[in-house]
Amino acid sequence: MTDDLKTGRPHEGSRRTFLRGLAGTAVAASFSDAFGLGGAGAPVGKQSSVLDLAATAEALSVTLYFQVLSRASFMLTPETAADLRGVLAAESHHLELLRSLGGRPLTASFALPARLLTDAGVFADTALKLEQISTSAYLGATHQLAAAQPELAATMAQLAASEAQHLTLLSQLSGYGPFRDTLPAASFRQMADTAPALAPYLKVAGKGAATPLPADADVRRVLGSRPVPRGEAFVQLYRPAPKR
């Protein structure tokens, strides 16, 4: 581990490479390795609704970024912390939107990696995987809803676009450089297909410590007073046409 990371002094290089030089971390060996979607574990439930599964993924992301921003022992430069607060603000807004549309997380606690708060590499690997899962999940949801609920499908596309922005930001911060794939991975045909990928992060009774979804007030405390621009959902801008 580099001396500046040990002592907490700001890294002299670019904020995009804040993980370079770490030894003994779980950073993936290559850019593509970071995006493995292996999903051993109990299925979430194939009949869970699109909105509930989406809310579950967003609640997981909120929990992840909140924990790292409020409790991580590894150093984050002020610029990197500000970038991650921007991601947390977006994930929190996504969860708020999904709840307003009727979505409810399937659990209020999550199984996060044991070394998430002490090993920057574990955080980077986990965040990259979750952003890839989210991007692919919303693409699947867009396909699933396109025929019957086009306005909601367009909202899913908006969420996919936001998650893809997070993906390229995390790629930069982790030292992999910009996300260079010409298209995000289409890993899921419909939202229910995300169940195996999400399962390892969902709390299973009696198997390790659970990390609770933070309260809204706690998220606002970590975000601070700096305003974050909020977009408006397609489904709110363009109401479904009345049926004839």
Side-chain angles (χ1 to χ4, degrees):
M1 183 176 290
T2 58
D3 289 340
D4 47 349
L5 287 176
K6 284 182 180 178
T7 60
R9 292 194 299 269
H11 198 287
E12 295 178 358
S14 167
R15 63 194 173 104
R16 297 185 183 91
T17 58
F18 82 112
L19 293 177
R20 285 181 180 167
L22 291 177
T25 70
V27 174
S30 69
F31 181 86
S32 59
D33 290 343
F35 301 128
L37 296 184
V44 173
K46 290 293 185 179
Q47 302 308 313
S48 300
S49 76
V50 169
L51 292 175
D52 287 348
L53 283 170
T56 302
E58 294 294 353
L60 170 57
S61 293
V62 167
T63 303
L64 172 78
Y65 292 110
F66 173 84
Q67 287 292 318
V68 168
L69 283 165
S70 60
R71 299 183 55 208
S73 60
F74 53 83
M75 192 203 78
L76 294 173
T77 66
E79 295 88 351
T80 296
D83 283 340
L84 294 181
R85 282 194 293 272
V87 175
L88 174 60
E91 306 291 18
S92 180
H93 183 205
H94 296 173
L95 179 56
E96 178 186 319
L97 169 64
L98 291 164
R99 281 173 164 162
S100 74
L101 296 173
R104 295 292 179 268
L106 300 175
T107 180
S109 60
F110 300 93
L112 298 179
R115 294 187 294 152
L116 178 75
L117 301 179
T118 59
D119 190 327
V122 172
F123 162 62
D125 184 51
T126 305
L128 285 165
K129 286 181 179 178
L130 291 183
E131 295 299 348
Q132 173 71 345
I133 289 170
S134 295
T135 303
S136 298
Y138 284 125
L139 292 174
T142 301
H143 166 259
Q144 182 177 347
L145 298 171
Q149 297 175 277
E151 291 81 11
L152 185 56
T155 302
M156 296 295 109
Q158 284 181 291
L159 292 167
S162 179
E163 301 297 350
Q165 290 179 317
H166 301 168
L167 181 59
T168 198
L169 172 63
L170 265 294
S171 176
Q172 290 274 33
L173 293 176
S174 301
Y176 292 113
F179 185 77
R180 292 186 173 87
D181 288 9
T182 58
L183 294 172
S187 302
F188 311 117
R189 184 176 176 84
Q190 57 185 355
M191 183 60 85
D193 295 340
T194 65
L198 289 174
Y201 303 100
L202 304 189
K203 172 60 182 169
V204 179
K207 293 187 178 181
T211 303
L213 173 67
D216 292 343
D218 291 328
V219 173
R220 289 194 296 270
R221 173 179 54 79
V222 168
L223 292 177
S225 58
R226 183 177 179 180
V228 177
R230 283 189 165 201
E232 192 166 359
F234 193 101
V235 74
Q236 295 169 339
L237 281 170
Y238 304 100
R239 299 292 180 179
K243 294 181 179 180
R244 296 180 178 179

